[in-house]
């Protein structure tokens, strides 16, 4: 079964920080649905204290990539979420070592 990662990026240009937000296993449709849940719940429109945020925008970059921009009175926060498929893993006998597809032990 395919494995996926939702990659989250913060910052601007060269100062961006990338991290795996979560790892998933399932079909592409299931992974996209999980990505959309993450985007929809990230910095929700209402804070934990029950106050409504000034503005929350979601931009679709592609079917597998979204930018969330949250504007409060004194700050603007952005996060970019991208769905990535795992295609190479040196510790998985079902996957090649490299993106070029070289087999294990070669």
């Amino acid at each position: 079964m395919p494995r996926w990662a939702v990659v989250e990026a913060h910052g601007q240009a060269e100062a961006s920080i990338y991290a795996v937000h979560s790892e998933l296993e399932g079909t592409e449709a299931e992974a996209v649905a999980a990505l959309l849940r993450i985007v929809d719940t990230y910095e929700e429109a209402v804070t934990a204290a029950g106050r409504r945020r000034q503005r929350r925008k979601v931009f679709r970059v592609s079917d597998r990539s979204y930018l969330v921009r949250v504007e409060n009175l004194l700050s603007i926060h952005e996060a970019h979420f991208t769905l990535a498929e795992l295609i190479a893993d040196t510790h998985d006998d079902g996957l090649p070592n490299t993106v070029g597809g070289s087999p294990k032990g070669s």
Side-chain angles (χ1 to χ4, degrees):
M1 182 157 291
R3 289 184 292 174
W4 308 87
V6 175
V7 178
E8 181 178 350
H10 293 275
Q12 296 179 0
E14 296 84 20
S16 290
I17 298 171
Y18 293 86
V20 173
H21 183 278
S22 61
E23 291 189 38
L24 316 160
E25 189 170 321
T27 66
E28 181 175 2
E30 292 169 334
V32 169
L35 169 67
L36 294 178
R37 280 192 302 279
I38 290 167
V39 168
D40 283 345
T41 58
Y42 182 82
E43 297 269 344
E44 293 179 286
V46 177
T47 67
R51 285 185 231 109
R52 184 168 172 77
R53 296 192 187 283
Q54 292 298 104
R55 190 170 197 178
R56 183 180 183 276
K57 300 176 185 176
V58 178
F59 299 90
R60 181 177 56 233
V61 179
S62 73
D63 289 340
R64 290 186 177 185
S65 181
Y66 294 84
L67 175 70
V68 180
R69 182 180 181 131
V70 180
E71 301 172 0
N72 289 303
L73 287 175
L74 301 174
S75 66
I76 295 175
H77 180 76
E78 295 178 339
H80 186 185
F81 294 94
T82 303
L83 182 63
E85 182 178 7
L86 177 65
I87 60 169
D89 185 346
T90 59
H91 284 80
D92 185 330
D93 291 335
L95 291 172
N97 283 340
T98 66
V99 296
S102 44
K104 300 289 181 192
S106 295

